[in-house]
Amino acid sequence: MTEFYFIRHGQTKANVLKMKQGNINTEITYLNTNGQKQAQHLADNFDISFADRIICSPLKRAQQTATILNQKPQLPITYDKRLREISYGSWDGQKNADLKKLHPDAYNDYWNDVLPLYTQYATNGESFNDVIKRVNNFLNENSQKYPNEKIICVTHGFTVKATALSILKPQDVMSLPEPRNTSVTKIIALADKKEFYVEYYNQIF
């Protein structure tokens, strides 16, 4: 049995501005002071020393979060591009409010976030299904590679949601929210049976 603990990075300035961060990797997407505090709070209340390793998104906001979490445990850490955030293509770096004014049909009103059809407007935007496929590939590969390990995965909001979607397969992908900053989602993988379970989602410690 492999235990995956998916952790969303801490808050960034772009989060506060309600921007589409996507694959942007500049200062506006680095952890702000509050994001650093959130990561430290998680480190203080969710000791990851029980785990065997960390696999982290290569984007800096995830790396910063992992560094704070790993100050004491000093777990081995590697980086995997399959854990990067969804790329919104030409929408990366733009504010939700501005995008919604231009393309209201591409937004879910309740969550104030994009629907899968957003790719009709965003040049080179990554589809929801493409992200679901890459995280599913990540789960399958690492559950086979580490069949008895506990793995910390430091990643991004939509990436965590896509991981849960790949397992739960809800009729409506918008029925599940994106997890909060520094929340933890636990996934169980039984590699020999090719079974996956969401034990908990969007948990704040």
Side-chain angles (χ1 to χ4, degrees):
M1 181 175 77
T2 308
E3 297 178 16
F4 294 94
Y5 297 83
F6 281 79
I7 298 174
R8 187 187 176 192
H9 62 80
Q11 187 186 73
T12 68
K13 184 177 181 181
N15 286 150
V16 175
L17 295 172
K18 301 189 184 305
M19 288 172 55
K20 286 277 171 262
Q21 293 184 100
N23 280 192
I24 294 175
N25 204 29
T26 58
E27 190 172 351
I28 199 169
T29 67
Y30 300 166
L31 297 192
N32 61 16
T33 300
N34 187 52
Q36 294 171 27
K37 290 179 180 177
Q38 288 174 332
Q40 187 59 57
H41 178 83
L42 181 60
D44 293 341
N45 291 277
F46 185 71
D47 183 359
I48 65 169
S49 60
F50 68 87
D52 296 287
R53 67 186 64 253
I54 298 173
I55 305 178
C56 184
S57 159
L59 297 178
K60 188 166 182 177
R61 55 192 182 270
Q63 293 183 25
Q64 290 175 302
T65 303
T67 297
I68 293 170
L69 295 175
N70 202 30
Q71 286 177 98
K72 293 181 181 178
Q74 293 295 298
L75 300 175
I77 183 167
T78 55
Y79 302 94
D80 193 313
K81 65 182 182 181
R82 289 172 294 185
L83 292 180
R84 72 190 187 279
E85 181 61 295
I86 184 173
S87 172
Y88 294 100
S90 59
W91 283 18
D92 277 359
Q94 297 194 53
K95 293 183 179 180
N96 276 313
D98 296 334
L99 293 167
K100 189 175 181 180
K101 284 180 182 178
L102 291 171
H103 305 290
D105 59 317
Y107 269 77
N108 173 278
D109 288 330
Y110 183 77
W111 297 122
N112 193 35
D113 208 351
V114 294
L115 295 164
L117 64 80
Y118 92 94
T119 52
Q120 295 177 19
Y121 305 111
T123 305
N124 297 320
E126 192 175 11
S127 75
F128 283 27
N129 282 337
D130 283 344
V131 184
I132 290 169
K133 287 176 184 176
R134 66 170 155 90
V135 294
N136 186 256
N137 179 269
F138 172 87
L139 286 175
N140 278 296
E141 179 183 305
N142 285 287
S143 60
Q144 293 285 341
K145 189 175 181 180
Y146 307 112
N148 298 297
E149 289 199 4
K150 298 176 176 64
I151 303 172
I152 305 296
C153 304
V154 186
T155 182
H156 307 270
F158 187 83
T159 312
V160 178
K161 174 175 174 171
T163 305
L165 290 174
S166 76
I167 298 167
L168 300 174
K169 299 178 175 62
Q171 185 174 354
D172 181 2
V173 297
M174 300 309 292
S175 63
L176 193 69
E178 283 195 22
R180 295 164 287 180
N181 291 112
T182 62
S183 62
V184 183
T185 293
K186 183 178 180 181
I187 306 292
I188 298 295
L190 305 178
D192 55 334
K193 297 181 179 180
K194 296 185 178 180
E195 295 176 357
F196 297 90
Y197 300 94
V198 179
E199 190 158 304
Y200 56 78
Y201 182 81
N202 194 22
Q203 181 72 46
I204 295 292
F205 287 87

